[in-house]
């Protein structure tokens, strides 16, 4: 009895371990996979380009005023086409948990220098290369001060992704998944019943990975959480986190369906086994009944034959 | 038959739902306070950084010539700017403090204080947002406080031209930035010229 109880308990424990490992593996791998991909994070920043461009334009306008240059000199210098200059730096700052630093950004400097050269050429003004460079250098400084003032170094989600413990967790959970499946197989001695526990693990992982992101979205935790002070960056992080949650939800659905299929198949298998057993029991009963009837018939026939024989033979008279 | 269905229900619905419920409880207990805390941070005013003066060698002085390298001189604060309190040391080029340029003279002697730093997180961060009319305060340990009003902001300056703006009762703060034409060798400066006294 105790052995049976412990066996059931260990099967249940292994099934839950499988579920938790699947949840850790998927959420960790998705977070690291997406959160460390510059294109993914930059795409989030690019969705906020209107707000960021407004900040950049205001900074360039202030720089023009301080430099006694025409107010419209920097108009369109940084636009939607070359916004990747900004978004890639911001994405790198998010990923590597540093402040957005444009102070040494030669791409930004080159873009601004080219813009200024074209501007002076179209205005027909002759300006030396050194002056153009000085004005572009100051514009880079102005953009840097406007965007670098925003603290991107302490964003909770990216700090977590940068932590090596997430990767350790992912690797450990991959091992635990294999170990728990092997454990379930061993304890069940390879029998079909292991699928019901694997199915339960998959279903549990599916529930957690579907309901937890859905709950977070429903309670608007991501929308209300303040990841960083500058709202375009904050919104960019929110976009990334929301996509991350959607991917988790999709994985959750996949696990849910695979678990359900496994459990239904297992149920049908067990049911057919149950039906077969029931059929074989009935069949035996029939056979047993038939045998009894046959025996009765044979006994009856024998009795009849005996009686007939007794009637036909002449009575044995005493000599 | 009944026990098979019950087992199916237990494994497909009951156990996963209970575990998922536990997860949701944990999430709401962990995330809710964090969200509330972040909202409080958003609504609250950023607390002013308090400088721990005990880490600097600070003594009484009446003349800047009495100071030794790395001696604490004063801190710079701003009422209307998100400027972190910046510590000014004498003749120091450390990364977490600003320093006084040669040729500076004491404010209590109607002198001109010329300051510069590296424009890092601990010095002059937020100063670029300053406008004409903003007030900067120099707090000396034993020589009182001096409030200066920004009068001019002049970009494209070199280190050697900063002193050209030195006048009586003036504060000059030089904020450095890269000269891409001569990257790594020379720097430009934005010079904030402020005069003693409120607006």
């Amino acid at each position: 009895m105790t052995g049976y109880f412990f066996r059931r308990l260990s099967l249940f424990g292994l099934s839950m371990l499988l579920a938790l490992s699947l949840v850790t593996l998927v959420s960790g791998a998705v977070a690291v996979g997406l959160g460390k991909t510059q294109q993914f994070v930059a795409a989030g920043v690019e969705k906020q380009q209107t707000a960021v461009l407004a900040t950049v334009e205001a900074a360039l306008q202030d720089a023009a005023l301080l430099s006694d240059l025409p107010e419209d000199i920097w108009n369109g210098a940084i636009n939607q086409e070359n916004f990747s200059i900004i978004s890639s730096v911001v994405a790198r700052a998010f990923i590597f948990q540093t402040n957005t630093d444009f102070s040494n950004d030669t791409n930004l400097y080159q873009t601004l220098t080219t813009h200024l050269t074209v501007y002076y050429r179209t205005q027909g003004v002759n300006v030396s290369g050194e002056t153009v460079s000085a004005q572009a250098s100051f514009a880079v400084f102005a953009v840097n001060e406007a965007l670098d003032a925003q603290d991107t170094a302490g964003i909770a989600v990216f700090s977590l992704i940068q932590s090596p413990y997430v990767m350790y967790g992912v690797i450990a959970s991959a091992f635990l998944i294999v170990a728990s499946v092997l454990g379930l197989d061993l304890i069940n001695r390879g029998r079909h019943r292991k699928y019901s526990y694997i199915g339960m693990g998959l279903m549990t992982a599916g529930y957690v990975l579907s309901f937890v992101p859905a709950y977070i979205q429903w309670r608007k935790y991501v929308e209300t959480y303040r990841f960083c002070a500058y709202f375009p960056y904050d919104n960019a992080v929110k976009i990334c986190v929301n996509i991350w949650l959607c991917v988790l939800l999709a994985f959750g659905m996949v696990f849910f369906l695979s678990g359900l299929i496994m459990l239904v198949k297992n149920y049908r298998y067990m049911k057919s086994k149950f039906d077969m057993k029931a059929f074989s029991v009935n069949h035996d009963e029939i056979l047993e009944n038939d045998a009894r009837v046959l025996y009765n018939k044979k006994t009856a026939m024998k009795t009849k034959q005996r009686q007939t024989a007794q009637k036909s033979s002449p009575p044995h008279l005493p000599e | 038959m009944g026990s098979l269905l019950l087992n199916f229900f237990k494994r497909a619905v009951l156990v996963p739902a209970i575990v998922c419920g536990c997860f949701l409880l944990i999430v709401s207990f962990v995330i809710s306070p964090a969200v509330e805390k972040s909202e409080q941070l958003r609504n609250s005013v950023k607390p002013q950084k308090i400088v721990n003066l005990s880490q600097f060698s600070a003594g009484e002085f009446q003349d800047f010539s009495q100071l030794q390298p790395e001696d604490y001189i004063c801190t710079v604060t701003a009422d209307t700017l998100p400027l972190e309190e910046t510590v000014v040391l004498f003749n120091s080029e450390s990364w977490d403090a600003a320093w006084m340029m040669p040729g500076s003279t004491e404010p209590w002697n109607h002198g001109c204080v010329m300051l510069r730093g590296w424009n890092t997180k601990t010095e002059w961060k937020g100063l670029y947002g300053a406008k004409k009319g903003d007030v900067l305060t120099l707090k000396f340990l034993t020589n009182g406080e001096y409030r200066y009003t920004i009068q001019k902001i002049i970009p494209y300056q070199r280190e050697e031209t900063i002193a050209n703006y030195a006048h009586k009762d003036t504060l000059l703060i030089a904020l450095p930035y890269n000269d891409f034409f001569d990257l790594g060798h020379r720097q430009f400066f934005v010079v904030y010229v402020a005069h003693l006294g409120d607006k």
Side-chain angles (χ1 to χ4, degrees):
Chain A
M1 189 66 191
T2 323
Y4 172 78
F5 174 75
F6 275 114
R7 201 169 59 84
R8 292 293 295 268
L9 194 71
S10 52
L11 285 171
F12 178 78
L14 283 173
S15 175
M16 290 301 103
L17 184 69
L18 174 69
L20 293 181
S21 306
L22 281 171
V23 170
T24 315
L25 176 80
V26 169
S27 37
V30 169
V32 172
L34 293 181
K36 284 192 175 179
T37 310
Q38 196 179 313
Q39 286 88 341
F40 169 73
V41 182
V45 178
E46 272 169 25
K47 289 207 168 69
Q48 293 300 311
Q49 61 174 272
T50 316
V52 177
L53 281 176
T55 308
V56 170
E57 273 172 25
L60 289 173
Q61 220 167 39
D62 282 351
L65 286 173
L66 277 177
S67 314
D68 292 327
L69 292 170
E71 211 175 306
D72 65 337
I73 194 165
W74 294 113
N75 279 4
I78 305 295
N79 50 45
Q80 292 178 349
E81 275 88 57
N82 58 22
F83 186 72
S84 59
I85 296 169
I86 304 284
S87 64
S88 58
V89 172
V90 176
R92 270 203 303 277
F94 281 171
I95 294 166
F96 297 109
Q97 283 295 281
T98 54
N99 281 336
T100 41
D101 185 11
F102 295 92
S103 60
N104 290 315
D105 196 329
T106 44
N107 285 336
L108 181 62
Y109 167 74
Q110 286 299 342
T111 309
L112 294 174
T113 309
T114 310
H115 173 85
L116 214 52
T117 311
V118 172
Y119 177 84
Y120 284 131
R121 199 180 297 143
T122 50
Q123 297 290 316
V125 183
N126 196 14
V127 180
S128 72
E130 204 169 338
T131 308
V132 168
S133 168
Q135 288 169 353
S137 296
F138 184 56
V140 170
F141 170 68
V143 171
N144 183 49
E145 287 297 315
L147 296 179
D148 177 40
Q150 320 308 332
D151 194 6
T152 50
I155 300 170
V157 179
F158 288 100
S159 300
L160 193 73
I161 292 168
Q162 276 299 105
S163 151
Y165 295 110
V166 178
M167 270 320 285
Y168 298 156
V170 168
I171 294 163
S173 52
F175 279 111
L176 283 175
I177 288 167
V178 177
S180 52
V181 171
L182 283 176
L184 285 170
D185 189 52
L186 280 173
I187 294 173
N188 283 303
R189 295 189 199 95
R191 280 178 296 179
H192 204 274
R193 196 172 44 190
K194 69 183 173 220
Y195 292 115
S196 72
Y197 287 97
I198 296 174
M200 182 165 74
L202 283 171
M203 284 290 277
T204 310
Y207 268 64
V208 172
L209 287 173
S210 310
F211 281 102
V212 171
Y215 179 73
I216 289 171
Q217 296 280 31
W218 175 60
R219 294 294 302 268
K220 294 188 172 28
Y221 282 144
V222 179
E223 277 171 48
T224 45
Y225 190 81
R226 187 79 164 187
F227 290 98
C228 55
Y230 182 49
F231 85 91
Y233 290 173
D234 188 49
N235 286 343
V237 179
K238 281 176 178 149
I239 290 167
C240 295
V241 174
N242 279 331
I243 294 172
W244 182 54
L245 288 175
C246 288
V247 174
L248 286 188
L249 207 140
F251 268 101
M253 297 306 282
V254 170
F255 285 141
F256 178 84
L257 283 176
S258 359
L260 190 67
I261 290 167
M262 205 172 264
L263 282 179
V264 167
K265 279 201 153 194
N266 188 64
Y267 169 76
R268 290 179 69 181
Y269 173 80
M270 296 303 274
K271 191 172 173 286
S272 68
K273 216 174 153 187
F274 186 85
D275 289 346
M276 281 283 284
K277 207 173 170 186
F279 172 75
S280 66
V281 168
N282 290 337
H283 190 72
D284 287 350
E285 274 175 15
I286 291 162
L287 287 175
E288 202 177 319
N289 286 338
D290 286 354
R292 199 172 293 129
V293 168
L294 200 68
Y295 174 78
N296 289 343
K297 268 186 185 172
K298 277 182 179 174
T299 320
M301 273 177 75
K302 273 182 184 172
T303 318
K304 208 177 176 181
Q305 276 174 356
R306 206 176 296 129
Q307 283 172 354
T308 321
Q310 276 177 357
K311 273 180 191 172
S312 58
S313 64
H316 185 73
L317 295 171
E319 289 179 0
Chain B
M1 266 307 270
S3 70
L4 267 182
L5 263 177
L6 188 72
N7 255 337
F8 179 81
F9 175 76
K10 220 163 61 181
R11 281 164 195 174
V13 182
L14 197 66
V15 173
I18 290 169
V19 175
C20 185
C22 293
F23 263 87
L24 292 181
L25 273 177
I26 293 166
V27 164
S28 53
F29 276 119
V30 171
I31 298 184
S32 286
V35 170
E36 276 168 28
K37 203 175 163 189
S38 86
E39 275 182 333
Q40 281 169 5
L41 278 177
R42 176 172 32 181
N43 299 331
S44 65
V45 179
K46 198 178 174 187
Q48 194 79 32
K49 188 180 80 181
I50 295 165
V51 177
N52 179 17
L53 293 180
S54 61
Q55 60 180 304
F56 305 108
S57 60
E60 285 185 23
F61 59 89
Q62 283 303 312
D63 197 298
F64 287 155
S65 61
Q66 295 170 326
L67 291 163
Q68 299 294 315
E70 302 289 330
D71 271 357
Y72 167 82
I73 301 174
C74 61
T75 53
V76 184
T77 56
D79 302 340
T80 50
L81 285 172
L83 178 70
E84 292 278 347
E85 190 168 15
T86 300
V87 175
V88 181
L89 301 179
F90 182 72
N91 199 14
S92 162
E93 293 201 1
S94 65
W95 283 95
D96 52 1
W99 68 92
M100 202 161 71
M101 291 170 67
S104 295
T105 43
E106 306 78 21
W108 49 92
N109 291 331
H110 301 286
C112 173
V113 182
M114 294 184 280
L115 308 175
R116 65 157 291 190
W118 294 109
N119 188 19
T120 63
K121 235 178 139 46
T122 44
E123 334 147 6
W124 311 140
K125 197 82 222 160
L127 181 66
Y128 180 73
K131 300 271 179 284
K132 282 180 196 172
D134 282 336
V135 176
L136 299 166
T137 307
L138 296 192
K139 287 182 192 167
F140 291 88
L141 207 60
T142 53
N143 302 81
E145 285 186 14
Y146 294 85
R147 290 168 68 81
Y148 293 88
T149 309
I150 296 173
Q151 303 288 340
K152 279 184 207 163
I153 303 166
I154 312 155
Y156 307 113
Q157 297 305 306
R158 297 290 189 187
E159 192 157 15
E160 57 273 17
T161 62
I162 296 168
N164 295 346
Y165 301 95
H167 295 291
K168 229 171 87 173
D169 292 326
T170 309
L171 168 69
L172 302 180
I173 296 180
L175 197 59
Y177 63 93
N178 275 333
D179 174 6
F180 282 86
F181 199 74
D182 198 8
L183 197 60
H185 296 100
R186 296 191 78 190
Q187 282 186 311
F188 279 121
F189 291 86
V190 182
V191 179
Y192 292 81
V193 183
H195 289 290
L196 192 64
D198 283 334
K199 288 177 245 186

